[in-house]
Amino acid sequence: MSEQTATRTAAPAVDLFDRIALGVVGLSIVTFLLGWTTLFERTGTDTAVAGLSLFTLFGAVFLLAGIGLLVSGIASYVGAFETTADRYTGIGTGLGLGIVGFAVGGLATTILFGVGATGSVLVGLVVGLVVTSGVAVLPEDLGTTFPVGLLGLAWGGLLVTGAVDAGWFWNPPSLDATFHAPIVVPLATIALSLLIAWSGAIVAEGFGSQGRQNGAYLLIGLNAFGMIAVLLLLILFVVQKGLPKLLEGAQFGPGLGISVPFLTKGVMLGQQYNGIFPAIVGTIWLVIGAVLLAVPIGIGAAVFLTEYAEQGRFTAIIETTTNALWSTPSIVYGLFGYAFLVPRFGNSNSLLAGMFVLGFMLLPLVVITSRESIKSVPDEYRDASAALGVNQWQTIRSVVLPAAMPGVVTGVILGVGRIAGETAPILLVTSGQPFPARAPSILGSFRFVATPPFVQNEALLQASSALPYQLYAVITAGVGQEEAFGWGTALVLLLVVLGFYAIGIASRIYFRRKLHQ
Amino acid sequence: MSDQTVTQTNEEQQSNDSTEQRSNSLTVDVETDERLVDSWTDYEFEDEAAITVEDLDVYYGDDHAIDSISMEIPERSVTALIGPSGCGKSTFLRCLNRMNDRIDSARVEGTVEVDGENIYEGDTDLVQLRKRVGMVFQSPNPFPKSIRENVSYGPRKHGDVNVGLLGRLLGNDDREVEREIVERSLEQAALWDEVSGRLDDNALGLSGGQQQRLCIARCLAVDPDVILMDEPASALDPVATAKIEDLIEQLAEEYTVVVVTHNMQQAARISDQTAVFLTGGQLVEYDDTDKIFENPESDRVEDYVTGKFG
């Protein structure tokens, strides 16, 4: 093996082989990235690189990469370069490429010849089977490069010759949809780039197990990168749309202080800048109320189920039901609140009802995650504590729960992310006027009275707005404000949720520190 | 084959009911042809007995883990329990402070007297029992807390030491008492010199050997009479093991120490008397350590301690 590596680095011809492979990988990464930016309209059909339109550029790159793959595959096969290719490509790779063959063959048949669904599926199956069996028995250096290289040549040829250009579209007869080039080309480009990058990575390591590892690594890496890129683009999109509204009329700077009317004002007639302050306050109170309700009960239930209850059918049933409750649609919770809680809380929509419903929604997740993290506290701690004569409750309080806290907090963070954005229950049990002028003043409304329940809070029993509800009202139902108002709300909702995450992560770090200092 | 052993006949095998056999003071082991002799386990000593075990049987479900063991453990000495894996020595150890209560399927019969009180009587206070009979486990298991909190955990939870806000408000802040307990326990566990400057560091930052000595200190902090150790050095390197062994010998001046070990050299080095358990949860021989290792009565024990069996 080491001998082989030595000859490979010594021979200039091998250098050339490596360069071709790396070139193929590099080119396909470029098209992969450009594919994503095109899909999200950061680059478009009118973008020109070095005098070539984007699609022509894609075509040229695929032609080059396809030729590179074919050449290096043949070169390895005829023995021009020393590689560690296996004798057969194997059924796994064969199946993978066969599925690609099925999709390409089937689609090509319908698009080119207008064959119906059954016919194209049959053709696709035939192509897929041929590719699978062919690739499986070919030597590895041909099996991994040839199908991919040929596909690259074909797609590159279509793009370069203009057979598929910016105005191209496909209108399948059996569907009402039309597929336009600005969507189809980037998608196909991304998929093909992944394939070519995979194949190129295998070639770059000279096939064999090293090559397969390199190929898998690159494929997984590019996929992960693609997913993260989608998320970042999503956030960027919301920020871009929402930021102008958020900063409308905002003033910063020396002598001015900081004023952001969108965040600090409600909606009132005759006001220069309207804002969403009441909804922000509503959402924050809803989350605080739900957390205060669900976390103590949830942790208590988890402690009981894990530490005290006899593990058996009872706990198994509870576990199944908790999981089922967590996946229950939120509108069902909302309906329960509407039919059961609202009539009992003064027969009108109220913040308190919203807190309860969201608390019920959060409860199962707190129970599930708390149970898991209590279970994962090592039994050695419990044994050590018991051997010192410390009773079970004290052990739970001073050893088990502190050790389980980071996991519990993680669960609460995840749950808060879900309930803060929940619209359906709020629509049913909390919402009143979507754009109120004033925020609910919870802290200022506590009154102590001489009769039970001794504490009254008017604001808790009144309807309130909340960010997701307002978003729904503006964007979907088109009520009240202009669209930009909705985008501003969306951005603020995102920030509020991220704010809760930050609090959660900070407290998790605090609890971890306490365990490990 | 010594003259004590008789060849097992089919007849004996069929009537292998242990209680019946024991009434004749002889019993036949299922797997070997050696009879157990009661006198092999009749260990005579001059000191007071700290623990007296009589006819102890333990079952895990249908599994008979301890088979009618009786033995007396002298105070202020090191008693080693040795034997092959699965012979019940750890189970026996865990009977002495009722840690087996924590296993649902375990059932214990017989009596265990600590300082003359049967700990399996109905109204035994487990808190008081475990304060008197402390335990150190196989792998070091300090809590994920500071060194100080680890040592003072027992006294704090038992209310012997009040620290914190409430104590301070009520004017009985026992931090001075706590400091003394921590220092005394760590010194007894030969750890004080290594950690005195960093008592508030997390215990998980200590080395394995230090962690095990911390666990011993934690056990000493509640001021026990008896310390049970379940293979206390098996997870440690030779240097740390040597320290633990020295420590055990020192502790025996004040405490009754019962050590389970797999390591026969260790048992020979540190213990005053040794009890040998062999398969089936039976105590085969119990005597002075020298006697067990140099001239045991039982052939099987001889085979075991010389490494021919087990």
PDB file of all heavy atoms in Angstrom, chain B residues 43-54:
ATOM      1  N   TYR B  43     -14.594 -20.092  62.343  1.00  0.00           N
ATOM      2  CA  TYR B  43     -13.380 -19.320  62.606  1.00  0.00           C
ATOM      3  C   TYR B  43     -13.438 -18.781  64.023  1.00  0.00           C
ATOM      4  O   TYR B  43     -14.383 -18.103  64.409  1.00  0.00           O
ATOM      5  CB  TYR B  43     -13.275 -18.192  61.577  1.00  0.00           C
ATOM      6  CG  TYR B  43     -12.130 -17.248  61.802  1.00  0.00           C
ATOM      7  CD1 TYR B  43     -10.821 -17.712  61.917  1.00  0.00           C
ATOM      8  CD2 TYR B  43     -12.357 -15.875  61.878  1.00  0.00           C
ATOM      9  CE1 TYR B  43      -9.772 -16.839  62.101  1.00  0.00           C
ATOM     10  CE2 TYR B  43     -11.314 -15.002  62.060  1.00  0.00           C
ATOM     11  CZ  TYR B  43     -10.024 -15.492  62.173  1.00  0.00           C
ATOM     12  OH  TYR B  43      -8.984 -14.628  62.357  1.00  0.00           O
ATOM     13  N   GLU B  44     -12.414 -19.098  64.813  1.00  0.00           N
ATOM     14  CA  GLU B  44     -12.367 -18.625  66.202  1.00  0.00           C
ATOM     15  C   GLU B  44     -11.482 -17.394  66.293  1.00  0.00           C
ATOM     16  O   GLU B  44     -10.407 -17.360  65.707  1.00  0.00           O
ATOM     17  CB  GLU B  44     -11.759 -19.721  67.097  1.00  0.00           C
ATOM     18  CG  GLU B  44     -12.440 -21.059  67.000  1.00  0.00           C
ATOM     19  CD  GLU B  44     -13.678 -21.118  67.871  1.00  0.00           C
ATOM     20  OE1 GLU B  44     -13.715 -20.355  68.869  1.00  0.00           O
ATOM     21  OE2 GLU B  44     -14.610 -21.887  67.556  1.00  0.00           O
ATOM     22  N   PHE B  45     -11.961 -16.370  66.986  1.00  0.00           N
ATOM     23  CA  PHE B  45     -11.097 -15.188  67.183  1.00  0.00           C
ATOM     24  C   PHE B  45     -11.367 -14.595  68.549  1.00  0.00           C
ATOM     25  O   PHE B  45     -12.385 -14.887  69.180  1.00  0.00           O
ATOM     26  CB  PHE B  45     -11.316 -14.170  66.076  1.00  0.00           C
ATOM     27  CG  PHE B  45     -12.757 -13.823  65.832  1.00  0.00           C
ATOM     28  CD1 PHE B  45     -13.368 -12.809  66.574  1.00  0.00           C
ATOM     29  CD2 PHE B  45     -13.511 -14.520  64.887  1.00  0.00           C
ATOM     30  CE1 PHE B  45     -14.682 -12.497  66.356  1.00  0.00           C
ATOM     31  CE2 PHE B  45     -14.841 -14.205  64.681  1.00  0.00           C
ATOM     32  CZ  PHE B  45     -15.430 -13.195  65.408  1.00  0.00           C
ATOM     33  N   GLU B  46     -10.428 -13.758  69.000  1.00  0.00           N
ATOM     34  CA  GLU B  46     -10.517 -13.263  70.379  1.00  0.00           C
ATOM     35  C   GLU B  46     -11.393 -12.016  70.493  1.00  0.00           C
ATOM     36  O   GLU B  46     -12.093 -11.828  71.473  1.00  0.00           O
ATOM     37  CB  GLU B  46      -9.112 -12.943  70.900  1.00  0.00           C
ATOM     38  CG  GLU B  46      -8.287 -14.209  71.110  1.00  0.00           C
ATOM     39  CD  GLU B  46      -6.821 -13.890  71.316  1.00  0.00           C
ATOM     40  OE1 GLU B  46      -6.490 -12.690  71.458  1.00  0.00           O
ATOM     41  OE2 GLU B  46      -6.022 -14.840  71.308  1.00  0.00           O
ATOM     42  N   ASP B  47     -11.331 -11.146  69.440  1.00  0.00           N
ATOM     43  CA  ASP B  47     -12.038  -9.861  69.555  1.00  0.00           C
ATOM     44  C   ASP B  47     -13.543 -10.063  69.530  1.00  0.00           C
ATOM     45  O   ASP B  47     -14.035 -11.159  69.303  1.00  0.00           O
ATOM     46  CB  ASP B  47     -11.645  -8.946  68.399  1.00  0.00           C
ATOM     47  CG  ASP B  47     -10.167  -8.622  68.460  1.00  0.00           C
ATOM     48  OD1 ASP B  47      -9.702  -8.269  69.553  1.00  0.00           O
ATOM     49  OD2 ASP B  47      -9.499  -8.764  67.413  1.00  0.00           O
ATOM     50  N   GLU B  48     -14.230  -8.945  69.745  1.00  0.00           N
ATOM     51  CA  GLU B  48     -15.681  -8.948  69.612  1.00  0.00           C
ATOM     52  C   GLU B  48     -16.066  -9.131  68.147  1.00  0.00           C
ATOM     53  O   GLU B  48     -15.328  -8.716  67.254  1.00  0.00           O
ATOM     54  CB  GLU B  48     -16.233  -7.588  70.075  1.00  0.00           C
ATOM     55  CG  GLU B  48     -15.931  -7.244  71.499  1.00  0.00           C
ATOM     56  CD  GLU B  48     -17.080  -7.626  72.398  1.00  0.00           C
ATOM     57  OE1 GLU B  48     -18.225  -7.394  71.996  1.00  0.00           O
ATOM     58  OE2 GLU B  48     -16.811  -8.168  73.486  1.00  0.00           O
ATOM     59  N   ALA B  49     -17.220  -9.709  67.914  1.00  0.00           N
ATOM     60  CA  ALA B  49     -17.711  -9.801  66.537  1.00  0.00           C
ATOM     61  C   ALA B  49     -18.484  -8.532  66.199  1.00  0.00           C
ATOM     62  O   ALA B  49     -19.362  -8.105  66.951  1.00  0.00           O
ATOM     63  CB  ALA B  49     -18.617 -11.005  66.379  1.00  0.00           C
ATOM     64  N   ALA B  50     -18.106  -7.905  65.086  1.00  0.00           N
ATOM     65  CA  ALA B  50     -18.853  -6.716  64.651  1.00  0.00           C
ATOM     66  C   ALA B  50     -20.114  -7.129  63.920  1.00  0.00           C
ATOM     67  O   ALA B  50     -21.146  -6.490  64.029  1.00  0.00           O
ATOM     68  CB  ALA B  50     -17.971  -5.855  63.756  1.00  0.00           C
ATOM     69  N   ILE B  51     -19.996  -8.191  63.151  1.00  0.00           N
ATOM     70  CA  ILE B  51     -21.132  -8.663  62.355  1.00  0.00           C
ATOM     71  C   ILE B  51     -21.264 -10.167  62.548  1.00  0.00           C
ATOM     72  O   ILE B  51     -20.274 -10.889  62.492  1.00  0.00           O
ATOM     73  CB  ILE B  51     -20.924  -8.358  60.854  1.00  0.00           C
ATOM     74  CG1 ILE B  51     -20.785  -6.848  60.633  1.00  0.00           C
ATOM     75  CG2 ILE B  51     -22.070  -8.913  60.017  1.00  0.00           C
ATOM     76  CD1 ILE B  51     -20.446  -6.482  59.226  1.00  0.00           C
ATOM     77  N   THR B  52     -22.474 -10.597  62.811  1.00  0.00           N
ATOM     78  CA  THR B  52     -22.721 -12.025  62.928  1.00  0.00           C
ATOM     79  C   THR B  52     -23.790 -12.416  61.920  1.00  0.00           C
ATOM     80  O   THR B  52     -24.900 -11.868  61.949  1.00  0.00           O
ATOM     81  CB  THR B  52     -23.217 -12.384  64.344  1.00  0.00           C
ATOM     82  OG1 THR B  52     -22.309 -11.823  65.286  1.00  0.00           O
ATOM     83  CG2 THR B  52     -23.301 -13.877  64.506  1.00  0.00           C
ATOM     84  N   VAL B  53     -23.444 -13.320  61.043  1.00  0.00           N
ATOM     85  CA  VAL B  53     -24.385 -13.750  60.010  1.00  0.00           C
ATOM     86  C   VAL B  53     -24.793 -15.175  60.321  1.00  0.00           C
ATOM     87  O   VAL B  53     -23.943 -16.018  60.602  1.00  0.00           O
ATOM     88  CB  VAL B  53     -23.730 -13.680  58.616  1.00  0.00           C
ATOM     89  CG1 VAL B  53     -24.713 -14.133  57.543  1.00  0.00           C
ATOM     90  CG2 VAL B  53     -23.229 -12.284  58.340  1.00  0.00           C
ATOM     91  N   GLU B  54     -26.096 -15.425  60.292  1.00  0.00           N
ATOM     92  CA  GLU B  54     -26.533 -16.790  60.563  1.00  0.00           C
ATOM     93  C   GLU B  54     -27.517 -17.270  59.510  1.00  0.00           C
ATOM     94  O   GLU B  54     -28.534 -16.623  59.253  1.00  0.00           O
ATOM     95  CB  GLU B  54     -27.198 -16.870  61.941  1.00  0.00           C
ATOM     96  CG  GLU B  54     -26.278 -17.463  62.986  1.00  0.00           C
ATOM     97  CD  GLU B  54     -26.902 -17.389  64.356  1.00  0.00           C
ATOM     98  OE1 GLU B  54     -27.842 -18.183  64.578  1.00  0.00           O
ATOM     99  OE2 GLU B  54     -26.479 -16.538  65.161  1.00  0.00           O
TER     100      GLU B  54
END
